[in-house]
Amino acid sequence: MSGAHTKKTEAKVKAILTDATKCIGCERCVQACVRQNKLPEDYPARFKADDGLSGARYTSIREIPGRESGTSRFVRRQCMHCEDPTCAAACLVGALVKRPDGPVHYDADMCIGCRYCMLACPFMIPRYEYDRPLPYVQKCKMDETCRVDGGAPACTSACPTGATVFGLREDLIKEAKRRIAERPDLYKDHIWGEHEFGGTSVIYISDNDLGEVLRIPSAEEFAKRAVPTLTHDSVPHLMHNWVMVTPFQFFTVGAGLAGAAFLRRRSRVMEEEAAEKAARDSVNKKEGEA
Ligand code: SF4
Ligand code: SF4
Ligand code: SF4
C-alpha cells in the first residue's frame, strides 16, 4: 500500500498494453497463463461470474459488439495492477502490495481470508477458491513467476497478433498515443487505465468503448456521481480523505445519538414521575375524603 496514497512516478514501472483492434479472440493468452501458473480445471460456468475470471483463471477474453453492426471485438480481462491499488489499501494485514516495478503482489502466507480486497477492487478482479479446504484469493500476478523468454509474461508472449504486449508503462503509453495519432479514423482517442482510478499498469486502446467491459465508468458517468473527481483520483486517495473526517463524523453522529437517547430517557422519567405524582395525589385525596 502506498503510504500517503500519492500517484507513483517511477520510470521503471512494467505494464501490459492491450489493443482491442488487434485481438482475434483465440484465447492463447488464457491458455498460456493456465500452463505457466499450472492452474487447475476451471470452475463450471454456473459457479463463475460472467466475465470469465475465477479462482482458476487469472485472465479471460470477453466478446463485445464491434463498431460496425454485426461485428465483434475481443477484450482481455485481468488484474489492472493499479498504481495506487484499492485492494492493498483495504487489506488489513498487508497481503497485497504494489511493487515499485508494477505488479500488485499477493502474499498468500499473510492472507487471513477476510476478502476485503474483493469488496474493495473497483474492477471486481480478485476471486476466491471457494471449493478448496484452504482457499486463497487469486488474480493475475504479472511478476517474474509469469515471465518466459525475453522476460515477458507467458500470456503476452503467446499472443500471435501483438494485441497484448509487455513493457515499461511510460513506453507503452507513448506507443498507445502513437497508434491513436497514426489512425485517428480507427481508434478512440482514449487510453483506458492511463488516468482512471489513479492509473493502472494494464492499459487498453480500442476503436470502441471499453468502459463497460473493463468496469470503468465514462467521464460523463463519473461526473454524475457524488464524487466527480473520481475519474483521476485513486480510491485509496479518496478513502484517505474520508478516513480523515471519519473520527469527526463518528463523534458528531455519536454525540447526536447520545443526545437523542438522553432526551428520550428524560422524557420517560418525567412521564413516570408525573404518573407517580398523580397516583400519590389520588391516594391522598381518597384518604382525605375518608
Ligand atoms: S484491479 Fe483490483 S485487484 Fe487488481 S490491483 Fe487494482 S484494485 Fe487490486
Ligand atoms: S501476467 Fe501472468 S498471471 Fe497475469 S495473465 Fe499473464 S501469465 Fe497470467
Ligand atoms: S492471444 Fe492475443 S489475439 Fe489471442 S485472445 Fe489473447 S490477446 Fe487476443
Side-chain angles (χ1 to χ4, degrees):
M1 177 166 109
S2 64
H5 302 304
T6 49
K7 200 170 165 185
K8 288 182 166 54
T9 53
E10 289 89 349
K12 299 297 168 202
V13 172
K14 299 280 193 345
I16 288 176
L17 166 64
T18 293
D19 183 339
T21 71
K22 293 181 183 294
C23 179
I24 55 173
C26 65
E27 298 199 353
R28 286 195 205 173
C29 51
V30 179
Q31 292 148 15
C33 176
V34 169
R35 280 194 302 275
Q36 183 71 17
N37 290 290
K38 300 184 175 52
L39 298 180
E41 197 174 322
D42 200 5
Y43 295 63
R46 66 183 185 282
F47 296 131
K48 288 182 60 169
D50 62 3
D51 64 2
L53 298 178
S54 72
R57 289 297 174 273
Y58 304 161
T59 187
S60 65
I61 297 294
R62 308 317 300 150
E63 187 173 354
I64 61 168
R67 203 158 58 167
E68 310 301 329
S69 130
T71 62
S72 291
R73 278 280 174 241
F74 299 97
V75 184
R76 186 151 105 88
R77 285 267 289 159
Q78 62 182 111
C79 171
M80 303 289 279
H81 295 280
C82 305
E83 301 304 287
D84 195 0
T86 321
C87 58
C91 181
L92 301 171
V93 293
L96 285 147
V97 175
K98 175 72 176 177
R99 290 181 10 179
D101 60 336
V104 173
H105 174 71
Y106 168 67
D107 187 339
D109 291 340
M110 291 182 76
C111 179
I112 55 170
C114 67
R115 284 164 279 156
Y116 283 1
C117 54
M118 295 172 64
L119 292 172
C121 172
F123 303 105
M124 300 172 77
I125 294 293
R127 301 299 150 99
Y128 204 53
E129 298 172 312
Y130 289 104
D131 61 330
R132 301 214 153 194
L134 193 58
Y136 292 109
V137 170
Q138 297 293 354
K139 69 169 196 70
C140 162
K141 302 173 177 353
M142 206 181 74
D143 60 13
E144 39 291 317
T145 63
C146 298
R147 296 194 189 141
V148 291
D149 48 309
C155 54
T156 57
S157 294
C159 180
T161 65
T164 185
V165 292
F166 180 73
L168 290 177
R169 187 175 188 269
E170 60 178 20
D171 291 347
L172 293 179
I173 285 177
K174 279 186 205 150
E175 172 62 12
K177 286 182 176 165
R178 187 192 66 73
R179 289 187 201 179
I180 292 169
E182 206 169 72
R183 290 290 311 276
D185 58 313
L186 176 65
Y187 290 102
K188 291 255 180 203
D189 186 12
H190 190 82
I191 303 171
W192 283 270
E194 183 181 9
H195 299 299
E196 290 96 343
F197 294 113
T200 58
S201 288
V202 172
I203 57 174
Y204 294 82
I205 53 174
S206 174
D207 59 347
N208 210 353
D209 186 61
L210 298 184
E212 198 176 329
V213 70
L214 298 178
R215 301 183 195 275
I216 298 178
S218 68
E220 294 74 33
E221 287 164 334
F222 270 119
K224 282 187 210 147
R225 294 182 173 204
V227 188
T229 57
L230 198 54
T231 314
H232 292 180
D233 264 348
S234 68
V235 177
H237 179 252
L238 289 165
M239 282 165 61
H240 177 73
N241 295 340
W242 268 96
V243 167
M244 294 306 285
V245 298
T246 298
F248 299 106
Q249 288 175 339
F250 177 80
F251 286 123
T252 309
V253 173
L257 289 172
F262 171 76
L263 289 173
R264 260 204 322 273
R265 172 83 185 124
R266 194 178 70 164
S267 150
R268 260 182 61 190
V269 167
M270 285 168 75
E271 279 169 19
E272 283 166 9
E273 277 177 357
E276 205 176 298
K277 183 172 179 301
R280 256 200 327 267
D281 289 349
S282 167
V283 169
N284 289 342
K285 194 175 167 201
K286 279 182 190 160
E287 282 177 356
E289 285 169 359

